[in-house]
C-alpha cells in the first residue's frame, strides 16, 4: 500500500510541475514562427530540437525546445509555430504542446483524490 502511495505522489508531482510550466508559457508566452536548424541525438537516444526564430525585439534567437523526442518531429529547414518566454526563463515549446493539456486539472484532481483515499486507508 505504501508503494501505491509513493507512486501516486510521484505522478501527482509530475502532473503539477508539467502544468505549472505550461501555465507560465500560456500566461506570458509569445507565439512565433520558427525554423528547425538542427536535431541532436543524445546519449540516451532521444532527440533535442534546435529552433531559430525572430523575437519581439527583432533579434534572431536559437534555442532548444523544452521537450525531448523519441523521433525527430521536424527535419532541418521545416517551420512550425512555437511559444517562447520573452524573459527567457522557460524553454520554448511547439504551440500545440504549450496550449495543450486542457485535461491536466482534471487529472490532478483525480490523482489527488486517489492519493488522499490511499493515505486514509493506509493510516486509518
Amino acid at each position: 500500500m505504501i508503494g501505491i502511495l509513493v507512486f501516486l505522489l510521484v505522478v501527482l508531482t509530475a502532473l503539477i510541475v508539467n502544468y505549472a510550466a505550461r501555465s507560465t508559457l500560456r500566461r506570458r508566452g509569445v507565439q512565433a514562427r520558427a525554423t528547425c536548424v538542427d536535431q541532436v541525438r543524445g546519449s540516451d537516444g532521444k532527440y533535442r530540437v534546435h529552433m531559430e526564430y525572430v523575437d519581439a525585439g527583432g533579434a534572431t534567437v536559437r534555442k532548444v525546445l523544452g521537450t525531448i523526442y523519441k523521433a525527430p518531429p521536424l527535419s532541418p529547414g521545416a517551420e512550425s509555430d512555437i511559444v517562447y518566454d520573452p524573459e527567457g526563463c522557460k524553454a520554448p515549446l511547439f504551440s500545440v504542446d504549450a496550449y495543450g493539456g486542457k485535461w491536466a486539472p482534471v487529472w490532478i484532481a483525480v490523482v489527488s483524490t486517489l492519493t488522499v483515499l490511499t493515505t486514509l486507508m493506509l493510516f486509518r
Side-chain angles (χ1 to χ4, degrees):
M1 191 61 90
I2 290 178
I4 294 171
L5 180 60
V6 170
F7 173 76
L8 288 171
L9 288 172
V10 168
V11 170
L12 182 61
T13 302
L15 284 169
I16 290 171
V17 168
N18 189 342
Y19 183 70
R22 289 177 192 229
S23 293
T24 301
L25 274 178
R26 278 194 291 269
R27 193 172 49 254
R28 69 175 183 221
V30 175
Q31 193 159 355
R33 190 78 177 159
T35 304
C36 176
V37 291
D38 198 9
Q39 350 166 318
V40 178
R41 187 173 185 174
S43 60
D44 58 359
K46 296 186 180 175
Y47 291 87
R48 281 105 181 128
V49 179
H50 297 254
M51 302 293 284
E52 190 172 84
Y53 59 93
V54 178
D55 69 6
T60 300
V61 179
R62 184 176 179 168
K63 293 242 179 168
V64 178
L65 289 179
T67 306
I68 300 170
Y69 299 92
K70 290 180 183 177
L74 295 174
S75 57
E79 291 186 346
S80 182
D81 291 325
I82 63 164
V83 176
Y84 70 93
D85 182 357
E87 296 175 19
C89 300
K90 303 283 180 193
L93 293 174
F94 286 122
S95 295
V96 172
D97 295 335
Y99 295 120
K102 302 290 186 200
W103 285 91
V106 173
W107 285 113
I108 290 170
V110 168
V111 174
S112 296
T113 302
L114 290 173
T115 303
V116 168
L117 291 174
T118 303
T119 303
L120 289 173
M121 287 174 26
L122 187 60
F123 296 109
R124 60 181 168 141

